[in-house]
Amino acid sequence: MTATSKTVPASAATGVGKAGGPPTGKPGAGRPSPGRGKRPGTDHPLTPLLWLGPALLLIAGVVLWPVVEMVLTSVREVSRAGVIRGWAGLENFEALFDEPDLVPVLIRTLIWVVGVVGVTLLISLGLAQLLNARFPGRKLVRWAMIVPWAASVVMTAIVWRWILDFFHGMGNTILLDLGLIDAPRDWLGEPGLAWLWLMWVAVFVSLPFTTYVLLAGLQTIPGDVYEAAQVDGASRWRTYRTITLPLLKPAVLVATVINVINVFNSFPIIWAMTRGGPGHDTDTTTTFMFKLLRLDKEVGQSAAMAVLNFLMIVVMVLFYLKAVRWKEVD
Amino acid sequence: MRVVALGATATLALTAAAACGSDEADGDGKTITFVAAEYSDKTEPYWQDLVSRFEKANPGLKVDLQVISWDDIDGHVQNLVLNDKAPDLLNLNKFADFAEDGLLYKAGDVLPKEVLDDFIPSFAESSKFEGEQYGLPFIASARLLFYNKDLFAKAKISEPPKTWDELKEAAKKISDLPGDAIGYGLPLGPEEAQGEFQIWINSNGGHWVDDQGNWTIDSPENLETLQFLKSMVDEGLTQPNPAKTDRADVIEAFAAGRIGMIRGLPQTHNNIADQGNKFEYGIAPNPVAEEGMEPSTLGVQDYLMAFDNGKGAQETLRKFLTFFYQEENYSKFITTEGFLPTTQSASEALSDDEKMKPFVEALPQAKFYPVTDPKWTAVDGAVKQQIGKAVQGTDPKKVLEQLQKTAEG
């Protein structure tokens, strides 16, 4: 075992060495005369596998295996105590589709993703433009932008939860003192209001990453394009619309896809602030799935919801990539 | 996906840990695993002390203790069972699910007769599944009306309400006081919605099940109860948004002197003391719907249960449980945590505690959750998520019908 693992990297290492300069004619590890025309690294068909092996194992272990386990659980009957009683076929899915709360939760999830990602992108486009401009104190502002990103999401959510708390919250105290409201409000108890506050916190924590991706995109746009536009007498808005935005497309794309996945799966904000309540009024499919597991103790149904979530995210990403024609952008 | 993936990771870790740890212990049944719920920050020190004294007194026997918060314990245990790693001894607020799946020892298999006979009969009775006792009564608690005497005096209310009408009247007078005092704290949020709701339906002659054990969640009495609660909420006599407010929230607010009335439990005394005893308060029986009805209380009982994991730990379990139920060990847990005892010996020993007295006196009229029905777990979860909405927008009748469907489904 140790012998092989020692010799293989050695031969591969010589292979890498060869790639740099002209072939030296020295025999590779243990091989009398390597074929001159052959590319390095192809001396054994399985060699690449040894290099990829650890990564593949890791992917299989932490990505594929849980997916398989998830799908298996979704077609099993698991008792509330946790005993696997046997196969359930599609019963878990049928029970899930019978939940009267499923459709409202799905609609809410859609609003959540579109709303949070959309608003985040809009604000970030502005912020990125601001951070790209030269002004005194820019470093400080750029630094400050990172703070919501560096702070733990759970911490941010809990801080907001307590600011908005009905009985003890600072929010009510300040607004009352300023005379903006005349009685304390339960900001996280009224579904509509709670929803807006949740979205605000989600936008707040998504801004730094999005802004920096867009800022990086802005910095790749060469200055002479703008000079040419200036010479042609293009207005600022025209310049932004026909030069900046199209050239920013790859950055916007990356920011959108990553944000969609993040926001769709977002659990800590909702859980820490409202637990999806009152009732299911601020649940998305992710918190709904967790409640099926923890409150209803329906392991199978929860796994079925997980499968559904998984499919939705796959479809969403594929759809989005197709819509913006990923390959052309490349 | 995240949950399942997390579960899978946790499983991996657990399997690995179990594989390393249990080799020498598994066969002879001399080591037992014990998963206990964390009632307060005094729980873990209590068990650690008990376990170390037990191990000293019984050389060779070992108890692997794990104290888990109430928030996580259900999921944790479900995960353990799902992965064939069920604990040998468990402390939880339900047992019938595990009995139904045939995972438990009968009480008589792990406790000597004198301990079994020491349990207060009504508690032993509600520890049975299909006629056999599986649960070991562990602690009990009851709920009574706590009222703020200072607020009552300010609102010129002379005595605590005895009926719903009087309660509503009192709540109105308190809400009408200048300032932001709240008449009645109604916690129908997920933490303990089932408890608050049961107090109300019981005081109207309703319950979750009838005497034969048939589910009666959508009974006319229960609908009437919800409509009454809805009227309280609509008239602004409670805090806004009961569906989101947890019991801990209203107890804290009551302890801060901001609420006129709530349902409290023995530990509520401590919450009020923690905030500096800022006001005078009293405890009264739970008001009833109509004059002439008998007041009841919600009796809550938690359990110990022993799992038959087929590793011959029965004798170790019996020794440990007998040790725990010795009067001085058991009484110490009860007084440390501020609960009511489920054994006769401890009841006698603790009968002269003034703060506990009203609760002990209320216990004979206690009604319990239908924990002996395995379906209760599902109903409990559904009530926590849905009942609050019934006083806040959703049609109460629809909510009750949905819950009834969950119970019968």
Side-chain angles (χ1 to χ4, degrees), chain B residues 120 122-123 140-144 297-300 340-342 347 357-368:
Chain B
I120 296 170
S122 64
F123 290 124
S141 180
R143 310 282 165 84
L144 292 171
T297 186
L298 164 67
V300 179
L340 308 175
T342 57
S347 297
K357 218 170 164 192
F359 292 98
V360 177
E361 281 167 3
L363 267 187
Q365 289 86 44
K367 291 203 102 171
F368 294 89

Side-chain angles (χ1 to χ4, degrees), chain A residues 53-279:
Chain A
L56 287 178
L57 270 180
L58 203 66
I59 291 173
V62 301
V63 180
L64 294 180
W65 182 56
V67 170
V68 170
E69 198 69 17
M70 166 181 80
V71 174
L72 282 179
T73 310
S74 75
V75 292
R76 269 184 182 144
E77 191 193 339
V78 182
S79 81
R80 288 199 173 76
V83 175
I84 297 172
R85 287 183 175 161
W87 299 105
L90 293 178
E91 272 169 38
N92 289 325
F93 288 91
E94 280 163 23
L96 177 67
F97 293 134
D98 271 352
E99 291 278 348
D101 291 305
L102 180 68
V103 172
V105 166
L106 283 172
I107 295 172
R108 230 168 282 133
T109 310
L110 187 75
I111 300 173
W112 168 255
V113 172
V114 173
V116 172
V117 175
V119 174
T120 305
L121 274 176
L122 276 181
I123 301 181
S124 293
L125 279 170
L127 281 174
Q129 209 67 41
L130 176 77
L131 294 186
N132 200 29
R134 286 176 189 285
F135 60 90
R138 182 171 77 163
K139 240 186 194 148
L140 196 73
V141 177
R142 281 190 178 183
W143 179 83
M145 266 303 292
I146 300 188
V147 174
W149 195 3
S152 126
V153 177
V154 178
M155 196 178 89
T156 312
I158 290 177
V159 167
W160 278 100
R161 188 212 137 137
W162 284 111
I163 291 176
L164 300 170
D165 187 79
F166 173 70
F167 290 109
H168 321 282
M170 281 304 290
N172 273 333
T173 315
I174 293 172
L175 290 174
L176 278 171
D177 286 353
L178 291 176
L180 292 173
I181 51 174
D182 43 15
R185 303 236 358 221
D186 191 6
W187 301 103
L188 295 175
E190 296 163 41
L193 271 179
W195 199 228
L196 288 178
W197 280 112
L198 289 173
M199 283 184 144
W200 155 244
V201 175
V203 167
F204 179 75
V205 300
S206 309
L207 282 178
F209 168 76
T210 318
T211 306
Y212 275 91
V213 170
L214 296 181
L215 180 61
L218 281 178
Q219 287 173 344
T220 61
I221 303 175
D224 44 2
V225 193
Y226 288 113
E227 272 167 37
Q230 221 169 7
V231 170
D232 288 345
S235 70
R236 280 176 164 235
W237 173 237
R238 178 79 198 262
T239 313
Y240 186 73
R241 216 160 41 88
T242 53
I243 296 179
T244 311
L245 273 187
L247 288 174
L248 209 52
K249 206 169 158 188
V252 172
L253 179 70
V254 169
T256 310
V257 172
I258 293 180
N259 269 321
V260 163
I261 298 175
N262 262 344
V263 172
F264 180 81
N265 284 326
S266 174
F267 177 82
I269 298 174
I270 300 177
W271 196 251
M273 287 177 67
T274 65
R275 301 219 151 187

Side-chain angles (χ1 to χ4, degrees), chain B residues 105-159:
Chain B
Y105 279 118
K106 287 176 191 146
D109 292 342
V110 287
L111 275 182
K113 193 167 176 315
E114 60 270 23
V115 178
L116 284 177
D117 290 344
D118 192 25
F119 288 129
I120 296 170
S122 64
F123 290 124
E125 197 52 41
S126 59
S127 307
K128 287 183 177 170
F129 174 71
E130 292 181 345
E132 290 280 359
Q133 186 182 344
Y134 289 90
L136 317 177
F138 179 62
I139 51 110
S141 180
R143 310 282 165 84
L144 292 171
L145 188 79
F146 277 61
Y147 63 102
N148 181 321
K149 285 186 175 168
D150 292 4
L151 284 177
F152 266 54
K154 258 191 225 164
K156 302 197 168 50
I157 311 162
S158 52
E159 54 180 20

Side-chain angles (χ1 to χ4, degrees), chain B residues 132-253:
Chain B
E132 290 280 359
Q133 186 182 344
Y134 289 90
L136 317 177
F138 179 62
I139 51 110
S141 180
R143 310 282 165 84
L144 292 171
L145 188 79
F146 277 61
Y147 63 102
N148 181 321
K149 285 186 175 168
D150 292 4
L151 284 177
F152 266 54
K154 258 191 225 164
K156 302 197 168 50
I157 311 162
S158 52
E159 54 180 20
K162 291 190 186 62
T163 63
W164 284 9
D165 287 342
E166 287 174 25
L167 183 142
K168 200 168 177 178
E169 191 59 37
K172 194 162 165 37
K173 284 183 180 160
I174 292 166
S175 321
D176 286 347
L177 287 174
D180 54 7
I182 291 158
Y184 180 81
L186 180 66
L188 292 180
E191 186 198 347
E192 277 277 314
Q194 84 288 358
E196 179 73 17
F197 186 56
Q198 183 177 326
I199 297 169
W200 282 99
I201 57 176
N202 286 167
S203 61
N204 191 29
H207 197 42
W208 308 101
V209 290
D210 63 16
D211 294 340
Q212 280 80 48
N214 303 310
W215 290 94
T216 54
I217 302 176
D218 60 351
S219 70
E221 292 89 356
N222 294 354
L223 180 60
E224 200 181 85
T225 307
L226 269 184
Q227 279 158 347
F228 176 80
L229 290 178
K230 192 167 157 37
S231 75
M232 298 248 314
V233 176
D234 289 347
E235 291 167 36
L237 310 180
T238 67
Q239 86 286 5
N241 306 307
K244 199 216 76 192
T245 317
D246 279 334
R247 180 182 62 171
D249 302 332
V250 297
I251 290 181
E252 284 308 317

Side-chain angles (χ1 to χ4, degrees), chain B residues 70-119:
Chain B
W70 276 111
D71 246 6
D72 298 324
I73 193 163
D74 277 337
H76 182 74
V77 172
Q78 197 181 44
N79 225 335
L80 289 177
V81 174
L82 193 53
N83 293 292
D84 285 329
K85 295 284 165 212
D88 296 310
L89 187 61
L90 174 66
N91 158 216
L92 203 64
N93 50 4
K94 47 186 100 62
F95 73 96
D97 290 316
F98 304 105
E100 189 190 29
D101 274 323
L103 301 172
L104 301 183
Y105 279 118
K106 287 176 191 146
D109 292 342
V110 287
L111 275 182
K113 193 167 176 315
E114 60 270 23
V115 178
L116 284 177
D117 290 344
D118 192 25
F119 288 129

